[in-house]
Amino acid sequence: MSPFSVIITITAYFAVLFIISYIAGRKADNEGFFVGNRKSSWYVVAFAMIGSAISGVTYVSVPGMVSVSGFGYLQMVLGFIAGQIIIAFVLVPLFYRMKLVSIYEYLENRFGMASYRTGAWFFFISKMLGAAVRLFLVCLTLQLLVFEPFGLPFILNVAVTMALVWLYTFRGGVKSLIWTDSLKTFCLVVSVILCIGYIASDLHLSFTSMVSTIADSEMSRVFFFDDINSKQYFLKQFLAGAFTMIAMTGLDQDMMQRNLSCRNFKDSQKNMITSVISQFFVILLFLMLGVLLYIFAANRQIEVTKGDELFPLIATGGYFPAIVGILFIVGLISSAYSAAGSALTALTTSFTVDILGAKGKTEEEVVKTRKRVHAGMAVIMGITIFVFNLLNNTSVIDAVYILASYTYGPILGLFAFGIFMKRQVRDKYIPLAAIASPILCFILQKNSEAWFGGYQFSYELLIFNALFTFIGLCLLITKDKKNH
């Protein structure tokens, strides 16, 4: 696929995206930017959330991971469903009852200002790193397809990418994102279905024979119960999926901004259950695509050194009609910019409301601060992507969940203690407990094989991180009780 074809495809996509963003966000005030004026229809949010949950990392990395872990990722996705149910029926009613703009305001009400700032800063670090990792993968693909052929440096690639994300989220925030994410979900689902169709056709497989070929493949194994020390063991993956969903969605300002934009908590619950079930089937499509891609690569003797390179290499390598490459670019861009745009909006919201403080300020003052923060967040995210390019030494999807295990754990521990315990704690010492937990987790992970007979921690490390924070809060309990 030529660089000009990629540029034309991206330009056409963004032209449509900017039109939708402008129409949806032209009358957005601060409440529209932060929570969409709480007027979003639940079914629109549910459809949009599919694109939000499935980033460019999923789009590229999930098909490539089937050679190593088969369909084992579905074990984690089943955990996602369990975690989403907990969010919908425990956290959502609580957040609506408190009428929160930032979900970390709960920590201030429950514990105090130090806890509030701790939650906000951990979210800021988590979301900035996670969003940078996701966009990094897209920048790598664009570097290969567009910037390298023209001899342009990676830093320019990053600058252009962040400028586009900033532009389409600048005006409307969440109010725009609900509709732009709906477009992205449509592009994402259509692209993966059509890519499966084209590859199956090239392999001379009907729908029935395609399903049987995938089912008969060694790469389609779903459940792993045989070795508890393995990172693929079912219980590890399921629990990691459930707690990751609670932390990365239920306690994530980015994802909860959309859910809190529904008219009431019952509509939000409908949206969440519908979207997570839909997500299961979309991820199943990506895994099926991965098996077909590896079969195609084997038939054509195409050498693939890294799983993340599989889909981009075949889709844009001229093996199929040009439409397949176009569909790949549209799907990748739509999924990646969905995650980046929503992350930028959430970081802007959290930094403006939680860290700088918006209480007591006029609408005009908040707008002025918000616009400056929005531009600043875009610059910081671009710098983070560039640094990650210098340091990257792992698969991207693995990096996302490793980062989540270390950075979302303290947030999960804080909320768990606040909801399930009725005791008050010494607020000023909470940052120390939150910082100590990831350090203890790092020590635990590095020594687990020696200490526990070969046991390797996977993403369930998030649970232990939260547990350490929870224990730390127990040590900080005061004699006074605080009901909520």
Side-chain angles (χ1 to χ4, degrees), residues 185-247:
T185 299
F186 175 79
C187 293
L188 176 73
V189 174
V190 169
S191 67
V192 73
I193 290 173
L194 291 180
C195 284
I196 287 174
Y198 274 108
I199 295 170
S201 175
D202 188 89
L203 294 171
H204 306 293
L205 297 173
S206 65
F207 177 78
T208 308
S209 58
M210 177 191 75
V211 172
S212 5
T213 299
I214 293 171
D216 292 340
S217 170
E218 293 180 357
M219 292 181 282
S220 65
R221 182 182 176 186
V222 177
F223 297 107
F224 295 79
F225 295 103
D226 43 337
D227 182 9
I228 194 171
N229 289 329
S230 168
K231 291 184 177 182
Q232 286 291 104
Y233 187 67
F234 172 78
L235 195 58
K236 286 185 185 181
Q237 292 287 310
F238 180 82
L239 290 176
F243 282 93
T244 298
M245 175 60 76
I246 293 169

Side-chain angles (χ1 to χ4, degrees), residues 246-310:
I246 293 169
M248 293 182 69
T249 296
L251 304 180
D252 184 302
Q253 179 65 26
D254 178 6
M255 304 303 284
M256 289 307 289
Q257 271 184 283
R258 293 172 177 77
N259 295 318
L260 296 178
S261 74
C262 292
R263 292 183 174 91
N264 53 62
F265 78 87
K266 289 189 179 297
D267 277 0
S268 185
Q269 289 170 336
K270 293 176 191 174
N271 140 55
M272 297 189 76
I273 300 304
T274 304
S275 65
V276 77
I277 292 172
S278 302
Q279 184 185 346
F280 176 89
F281 289 105
V282 173
I283 289 176
L284 178 61
L285 288 175
F286 279 106
L287 293 168
M288 293 171 64
L289 174 63
V291 174
L292 294 175
L293 286 168
Y294 274 110
I295 292 172
F296 178 85
N299 288 351
R300 294 292 186 96
Q301 296 182 329
I302 301 170
E303 186 176 347
V304 180
T305 54
K306 289 178 64 178
D308 289 348
E309 297 174 353
L310 175 69

Side-chain angles (χ1 to χ4, degrees), residues 76 80 122-123 125-131 133-134 240-241 243-249 251-252 388 396-413 434 437-438 441 445 458-466 469:
M76 199 165 180
F80 291 167
F122 266 94
F123 165 75
I125 295 168
S126 304
K127 183 53 63 174
M128 184 60 75
L129 292 175
V133 169
R134 290 173 170 90
F243 282 93
T244 298
M245 175 60 76
I246 293 169
M248 293 182 69
T249 296
L251 304 180
D252 184 302
F388 193 81
V396 179
I397 198 164
D398 195 43
V400 169
Y401 288 122
I402 289 172
L403 288 172
S405 297
Y406 280 102
T407 54
Y408 278 95
I411 301 174
L412 179 58
S437 298
C441 277
Q445 185 181 34
S458 183
Y459 311 132
E460 81 276 12
L461 195 67
L462 171 71
I463 302 170
F464 287 88
N465 198 345
T469 302

Side-chain angles (χ1 to χ4, degrees), residues 24-38:
R26 66 187 186 279
K27 295 181 181 179
D29 53 13
N30 279 322
E31 190 181 9
F33 187 96
F34 294 142
V35 290
N37 299 112
R38 300 196 195 276

